[in-house]
Amino acid sequence: MAVVANGLENYDQALEYHERALKIAYSIDDKKLIAQTLNNYGFVYQAMDSLESALRQYEEALTIYQNALQLDQDNPEILANTWAALYNLERYIEALD
């Protein structure tokens, strides 16, 4: 539902759906779902051109992957989204790190 809302540029509704998903993920303590949902949040913020907010979501998602899950430490989807946000913020040096 959130993906459809995002595709229709109904960003507020997309964020609401992601908020619901995040609450469920936290309630069942599903770290992977939490990280995926944070990544999806970031994607919506990036579509809204709210790049700093997007970057915060991507960084939090990646931290969960690296620390809590100890898997997919270089999750390509989250890294690609992070790099895109940094590029759009013209923070090129950080994107190369």
Side-chain angles (χ1 to χ4, degrees):
M1 300 288 284
V3 173
V4 172
N6 190 46
L8 295 172
E9 297 182 4
N10 189 343
Y11 302 123
D12 290 335
Q13 187 175 26
L15 291 172
E16 286 177 30
Y17 285 126
H18 288 310
E19 178 65 28
R20 289 182 197 169
L22 195 58
K23 285 180 182 179
I24 292 168
Y26 276 115
S27 74
I28 61 174
D29 197 31
D30 185 333
K31 301 280 194 261
K32 188 169 186 177
L33 183 58
I34 293 168
Q36 289 171 335
T37 304
L38 289 169
N39 182 56
N40 293 340
Y41 252 117
F43 190 73
V44 175
Y45 283 127
Q46 193 164 344
M48 295 169 60
D49 205 33
S50 187
L51 300 174
E52 290 290 344
S53 294
L55 189 56
R56 281 191 299 275
Q57 300 301 313
Y58 296 145
E59 289 171 345
E60 187 175 347
L62 195 56
T63 298
I64 290 170
Y65 269 104
Q66 291 172 335
N67 297 332
L69 296 176
Q70 297 179 353
L71 57 87
D72 288 338
Q73 293 191 14
D74 293 319
N75 183 285
E77 181 181 4
I78 296 172
L79 288 175
N81 291 338
T82 302
W83 293 329
L86 287 169
Y87 177 83
N88 289 326
L89 287 166
E90 298 181 5
R91 291 165 50 183
Y92 307 118
I93 301 301
E94 285 180 68
L96 293 174
D97 287 339

